[in-house]
Amino acid sequence: MTRKKFKITGMHCVSCACDIDWSLEDVAGIVESKTNYATQEAEVTFEQNIISEQKIITIIGSIDKRYQAKIL
Amino acid sequence: MKRSTLVLLIGILAIVIVAGCLLLLSTNSLRAASAVTPPARTPAQINLLTVFLTGLLTGGLTCLAVQGGLLATTIAQREEQKLEDRAKNNGNALPILFFLFSKLIAYTVLGLLLGWFGSLFQLSLTTQVLMQIAVAIFMLGTALNLLNIHPIFRYFAIQPPKFLTKVVRNQSKQKDFFAPVFLGAFTIFIPCGTTQAMMALAIGSGNPLLGAAILFAFVLGTSPIFFLLGYFATKLGDVLHERFMKLAAAILIFLALYSLDGALALAGSPLTFRTIFSKPQAVGRQEISSEPTLALTKGGYSPTSLTIKAGSLVTLHLINSNGQGCIQAFTIPRLGIQKVVPVGSSGIVRFTAPLKPGQVPFMCGMGMYRGIINVI
């Protein structure tokens, strides 16, 4: 299992952070997601052989067009 | 008319009627309540309306993003089980109504708890001043975050811990019809910026009934827009969203400055926003009295200026005919005097006038209704 930190900009409220976590945890291969609204960082735990960091970045961007993620 | 449209119209009408009636009722019952409970620390009439309007104009939208998303998930899961046209017949109005009623009840109870928590910090002047300053700072921070002034203000938004959000999440996965009801109640754990500011106001009120009324008025205000937008499930254009955020921030800043102004006056500061911006009142020829009488009324204190002799022993009679809320807590910050005179009763304050001539302000327990004692 891999744990990676992402920087996510574009979250305009705390609920957005929760939304991102819920959406990510629904994806196959992602075990856990902890997004912090104040620091604008997300710590994602996932199986690297099922899903890649790039795919996670794409998924975050698809939740809301304002969210932009990149690997920290 | 399609059945779903009918349900929608009934839903909107119900909310507007209930909103109007309950707001009136809650204002009246507050008058009775503040007569028997410790004096509420907010001018009830002014704040409730502002709170309701904040909810109506801005709260619905700012919270809709995720709370609405949660609701949409449950509705979508309902539709997975039915044929599309059957779902259209019943419409999505009912689950949304359940969600909103549940949210209303949960937030009102929360307001009760917050107000009660605030009342535990009793009437010590210092505590009141600190509380009002803290509330003002929190509201300002929230407003500045809404305006995206600087990332540092993001820390004013409280993010609930992961284990709580997990519970809310699990509820939304249920294909149960009652899932919206649980969701509505659980949204108290994921409040958005404006809601948190209202919670701060509820704590600052120091009265459980007032705290409950504040959150009740706010959630009621958010309901019509939440209902309409949730029903049509359309995303409002970015520009309109921006405008609403700015309006919410403006209202929060106004409430923050109002609270801060009161805090400054209570702290005994000769400089407050009001003294800076208003012309000094001309002091009319006044009778010096050693036993003046002050009336506590709905609109404040009357008269607003008293004249006493420097160094003399003063017996001040306070008569409360219909003075509500913080007016009942008559305060002279510079002399460290605070006397609570409940509505319909009277009280006496005895003190020695300062030796030096000058002006000594008096005010209500929140620093909002004021007057001057002229020492000559």
Side-chain angles (χ1 to χ4, degrees):
Chain A
M1 281 216 286
T2 324
R3 194 176 292 169
K4 280 263 154 74
K5 273 202 180 166
F6 296 81
K7 179 87 171 176
I8 306 181
T9 54
M11 294 190 282
H12 58 272
C13 68
V14 159
S15 306
C16 303
C18 299
D19 197 18
I20 292 174
D21 285 343
W22 292 335
S23 303
L24 284 181
E25 284 168 359
D26 267 349
V27 175
I30 296 182
V31 177
E32 195 188 23
S33 171
K34 279 200 267 210
T35 308
N36 188 303
Y37 164 77
T39 59
Q40 299 185 79
E41 282 174 12
E43 194 179 75
V44 185
T45 312
F46 59 101
E47 300 278 4
Q48 202 142 39
N49 52 359
I50 303 179
I51 188 163
S52 68
E53 291 103 339
Q54 206 43 56
K55 183 77 179 133
I56 293 177
I57 288 175
T58 313
I59 293 175
I60 293 174
S62 70
I63 300 170
D64 187 301
K65 62 178 193 266
R66 283 169 292 191
Y67 305 157
Q68 302 238 333
K70 64 173 200 243
I71 302 176
L72 263 182
Chain B
M1 173 183 292
K2 252 173 48 176
R3 194 174 145 191
S4 57
T5 320
L6 190 60
V7 179
L8 168 64
L9 287 175
I10 292 176
I12 296 175
L13 201 63
I15 287 181
V16 172
I17 291 176
V18 167
C21 291
L22 290 178
L23 201 61
L24 278 169
L25 276 174
S26 68
T27 313
N28 280 325
S29 65
L30 270 173
R31 294 219 181 106
S34 53
V36 296
T37 57
R41 295 182 206 161
T42 322
Q45 294 88 333
I46 305 171
N47 281 28
L48 269 191
L49 208 51
T50 317
V51 166
F52 180 76
L53 286 173
T54 311
L56 187 69
L57 300 172
T58 62
L61 252 157
T62 57
C63 290
L64 191 65
V66 169
Q67 293 186 5
L70 261 182
L71 194 55
T73 324
T74 46
I75 292 173
Q77 279 162 351
R78 276 179 82 221
E79 287 176 347
E80 268 165 37
Q81 297 175 300
K82 307 183 208 238
L83 295 169
E84 271 222 350
D85 23 41
R86 241 203 284 166
K88 285 218 169 83
N89 261 341
N90 287 327
N92 289 323
L94 279 177
I96 300 180
L97 276 178
F98 276 120
F99 177 88
L100 288 174
F101 278 122
S102 166
K103 191 174 163 190
L104 196 59
I105 294 168
Y107 273 93
T108 308
V109 171
L110 180 68
L112 252 160
L113 291 172
L114 292 178
W116 176 77
F117 173 73
S119 76
L120 292 179
F121 298 90
Q122 273 311 306
L123 290 166
S124 134
L125 264 181
T126 319
T127 323
Q128 181 65 21
V129 171
L130 288 174
M131 178 88 79
Q132 276 184 234
I133 293 179
V135 168
I137 293 176
F138 184 73
M139 287 189 155
L140 270 176
T142 308
L144 293 173
N145 186 27
L146 285 180
L147 293 171
N148 259 323
I149 301 287
H150 192 280
I152 194 95
F153 296 112
R154 296 173 78 95
Y155 285 94
F156 279 95
I158 304 166
Q159 186 165 348
K162 195 82 194 226
F163 70 89
L164 274 178
T165 57
K166 270 208 177 107
V167 176
V168 183
R169 175 62 162 153
N170 289 336
Q171 289 304 323
S172 80
K173 286 191 167 202
Q174 282 177 16
K175 301 183 181 189
D176 194 358
F177 184 78
F178 291 105
V181 171
F182 290 117
L183 274 183
F186 275 117
T187 58
I188 59 175
F189 298 120
I190 42 167
C192 45
T194 335
T195 316
Q196 286 171 6
M198 291 302 148
M199 288 180 180
L201 204 63
I203 295 179
S205 73
N207 180 305
L209 283 167
L210 194 45
I214 288 174
L215 285 191
F216 180 83
F218 178 71
V219 174
L220 212 51
T222 66
S223 302
I225 294 197
F226 205 103
F227 184 81
L228 283 173
L229 293 180
Y231 188 86
F232 293 111
T234 48
K235 280 222 150 100
L236 222 60
D238 279 330
V239 175
L240 216 53
H241 179 85
E242 285 274 317
R243 294 229 183 101
F244 274 112
M245 291 297 217
K246 291 207 171 113
L247 187 58
I251 295 178
L252 280 175
I253 291 176
F254 170 75
L255 287 173
L257 291 178
Y258 198 48
S259 180
L260 197 59
D261 186 50
L264 283 171
L266 277 176
S269 160
L271 219 61
T272 65
F273 297 123
R274 261 184 246 181
T275 58
I276 296 175
F277 289 114
S278 61
K279 282 196 291 234
Q281 284 174 320
V283 179
R285 272 332 216 116
Q286 293 223 341
E287 294 287 316
I288 301 179
S289 175
S290 61
E291 282 219 31
T293 303
L294 194 65
L296 282 61
T297 70
K298 206 164 54 171
Y301 300 109
S302 174
T304 50
S305 85
L306 299 168
T307 309
I308 58 177
K309 190 149 184 267
S312 66
L313 207 63
V314 180
T315 305
L316 179 60
H317 295 268
L318 302 168
I319 302 178
N320 192 340
S321 53
N322 56 2
Q324 298 293 334
C326 60
I327 296 175
Q328 297 168 94
F330 173 78
T331 312
I332 311 178
R334 286 242 192 101
L335 303 177
I337 291 173
Q338 189 165 68
K339 176 93 185 157
V340 177
V341 184
V343 100
S345 65
S346 52
I348 295 180
V349 174
R350 285 197 181 87
F351 61 93
T352 309
L355 290 168
K356 234 174 55 173
Q359 293 196 321
V360 178
F362 63 84
M363 59 197 68
C364 76
M366 277 195 91
M368 291 176 185
Y369 296 95
R370 303 181 201 168
I372 287 280
I373 300 176
N374 296 298
V375 182
I376 61 177

